[in-house]
Each structure stands twice: as C-alpha cells, then as structure tokens.
Amino acid sequence: MSPGLAALIHPRSVAELREAMRTNDPFVVHGVRALPSIPLLDSLDTLFATWPDTVDAIDPEVADEAVKTAVTVDEARSRFATGTSLLFNEVQDHVPELVTWLDTIRADLELSALTQRRCLIYATPAGGGTAPHFDQNVNFVLQVHGTKRWLLAPNIHVSRPMTRHTMGLPVDPELATYADLPMPDALADHLEIVLEPGSVLFVPRGTWHATSAITDAVSLNFTFSAPTWLDLFGAALRSKLALSSAWRETASPPSVAVFEALLRELADEATSWSAADILAVTET
C-alpha cells in the first residue's frame, strides 16, 4: 500500500476517520502493518546509537514538553535510564521517506499548503508519561515499541485552540481571551485507550489527553499544525499590504491619523477582494 492516510489507518477506512474528525472524537486502530520501515526505530538501543542530533529531555517534575532541556544522545540515554522521558524532534529531516508520508497525509486530510508538518519520536520509560494537556495541532500517534496508556477527554473550556496548554501551567495570554476560565485541574469523563506496537491513535485538536507508559515505550508522531481561517487571512493580508510603500513605512511615531488613513484606504480596497483571490495567495 502506498504511503498516505489510508495506509496509516488500515484496516479502518478514511471515511471513518473523517467522521471522527467532524465530531472531534479520538480514533484508534490496532494491528496496522503498512507503515514506513525506519531502521533507527528497530529498537531503543538502535535509536540511541544512530540518532544524529540533540534530544529534548522532559522535566520529570512537570512531565510536559513545555519544560525541556536539549541534551546529547549519551546524556539522553542516561536520563532515560533514571526515568526521564525524551523527545526526538524533526525526524523527517533525518529520515527522508517520512517527508513523503507527511506530504501525502497532509494532502489526504485536505489541509492547507501552509500546514506545518513534522514527525516526532517520544521515548517514555516505564512509569513515565505526560501531564494532562491539549494541543493546537492534529496528531497521529504510531506506537512502535512497548505499551502506553492514553486518557482522553473532551475540552469544554475552549474549542479550536490556537495554542497548547498543560494543566497547572499558566494560560497563554491570547488563549485566555477566548477560553472559559479557569481551566480544570483534572480530567473528567475520560476515555482510556491502550496502545501496543502497531496501534495508531488520532488525537483531535484541542482534546485533553495524558499518557502513562506501562513498559518502556517508543512512539512516532505525525503532527500537522494547520492554519486557521484567521491565519490564512493574515498571511494573505500581509502579502498584499507588503506591496504598498505606505504600509512598509516605519511606524514612528505611531500616529493615529496616519494609521486611520491607511485603514480607510484598506477598507475601500477590501471591497474588491474575494475568497478565491486570498486562497490563490496562500495555497499556491
């Protein structure tokens, strides 16, 4: 089977996944076989022996990648042995075949050309895991080695978040403007899913989740940070306004009168814009 979404979730169907995405529900499939063969993931020892970059060691006290330290591979191996979870970033930069998988899955999901896509490897020692949090992106988690328990819960405090948040940590200032605060301090009405080698889990954007490794565990994530309509409009607007010498002028001093004149000019010009014009800027 060719690289892509159908291969990633086989034997379940793309139609089933699309329905889960529409309803913002987690989606899991076990026993997946048509997946990329990546030599550096043959074992944890192989990963440590062949990884060519630094590794992020996640602070065990916080148990979240919001607090991490870049360390050498040798240091990462030592920290893993004493209970520290590890994050290997931008795996596609070192495994070129993953670029094809990422690009094909992005196209299959019909996500914008501006979508940031990457692969991550998480190595979690038995007993370790992540604190409850939600992400602003879409994740597919492929369990490669070991067994990991996931707890997932709907997010009733914020829909369609544009930034990540971890329970117990400060709320991002922009997120605070549209979230229903305060944030919860525990997962409620959660769903439990256990991933074993060959399991793939789709985690919807904004879904609360926490993990705990039952054994030493290694997973490969396909992560897609897709732009919102706000992002697309902002990108297109900047592209259009950058053509104007007046808009490129240094805002010094930040004059209300000058800015007002620019806004009036923009309002007049915007009446002739169309969605097709904007998408032509962002999607080509």
Side-chain angles (χ1 to χ4, degrees), residues 57-69 79 82-85 127-132 166-169:
I58 298 171
D59 186 336
E61 294 299 317
V62 179
D64 186 81
E65 63 192 72
V67 183
K68 57 185 183 290
T69 305
R79 293 201 184 194
T82 57
T84 296
S85 297
T130 56
T166 301
M167 283 186 186
L169 295 184

Side-chain angles (χ1 to χ4, degrees), residues 24-270:
N24 216 46
D25 290 322
F27 175 94
V28 66
V29 54
H30 301 290
V32 175
R33 298 186 182 279
L35 291 166
S37 176
I38 305 173
L40 64 80
L41 282 175
D42 284 347
S43 68
L44 190 55
D45 284 339
T46 302
L47 177 59
F48 283 130
T50 59
W51 183 251
D53 209 339
T54 59
V55 182
D56 285 338
I58 298 171
D59 186 336
E61 294 299 317
V62 179
D64 186 81
E65 63 192 72
V67 183
K68 57 185 183 290
T69 305
V71 300
T72 65
V73 174
D74 287 342
E75 176 68 14
R77 187 197 296 266
S78 298
R79 293 201 184 194
F80 184 86
T82 57
T84 296
S85 297
L86 305 174
L87 170 58
F88 299 74
N89 276 298
E90 308 293 348
V91 184
Q92 75 282 354
D93 290 347
H94 309 295
V95 185
E97 55 265 40
L98 287 176
V99 174
T100 301
W101 279 83
L102 286 166
D103 287 342
T104 306
I105 293 170
R106 182 199 65 78
D108 291 342
L109 291 171
E110 299 180 324
L111 297 177
S112 166
L114 296 184
T115 298
Q116 295 180 341
R117 81 289 182 276
R118 58 185 179 145
C119 281
L120 310 170
I121 294 173
Y122 289 89
T124 311
T130 56
H133 67 281
F134 61 75
D135 298 304
Q136 80 282 13
N137 47 37
V138 170
N139 279 304
F140 291 89
V141 181
L142 167 61
Q143 194 65 30
V144 180
H145 300 294
T147 304
K148 183 182 280 189
R149 178 181 292 107
W150 284 69
L151 304 180
L152 304 104
N155 191 338
I156 62 173
H157 289 77
V158 55
S159 66
R160 301 166 180 164
M162 295 188 293
T163 190
R164 189 177 191 275
H165 175 69
T166 301
M167 283 186 186
L169 295 184
V171 178
D172 175 84
E174 183 183 63
L175 177 61
T177 65
Y178 58 88
D180 181 12
L181 300 179
M183 290 292 190
D185 55 12
L187 290 180
D189 300 323
H190 64 261
L191 170 70
E192 179 176 323
I193 296 176
V194 176
L195 301 186
E196 297 180 336
S199 297
V200 172
L201 173 66
F202 163 70
V203 183
R205 170 186 172 194
T207 296
W208 288 106
H209 54 282
T211 67
S212 58
I214 298 171
T215 67
D216 288 354
V218 178
S219 60
L220 174 67
N221 278 33
F222 295 83
T223 299
F224 301 89
S225 298
T228 64
W229 290 114
L230 171 62
D231 296 321
L232 292 184
F233 181 70
L237 182 63
R238 180 179 177 84
S239 178
K240 282 180 173 290
L241 297 185
L243 301 175
S244 166
S245 174
W247 278 98
R248 297 197 308 270
E249 182 181 2
T250 302
S252 176
S255 166
V256 171
V258 172
F259 197 21
E260 185 67 39
L262 288 171
L263 290 176
R264 283 199 300 268
E265 179 183 329
L266 174 61
D268 292 339
E269 182 185 350

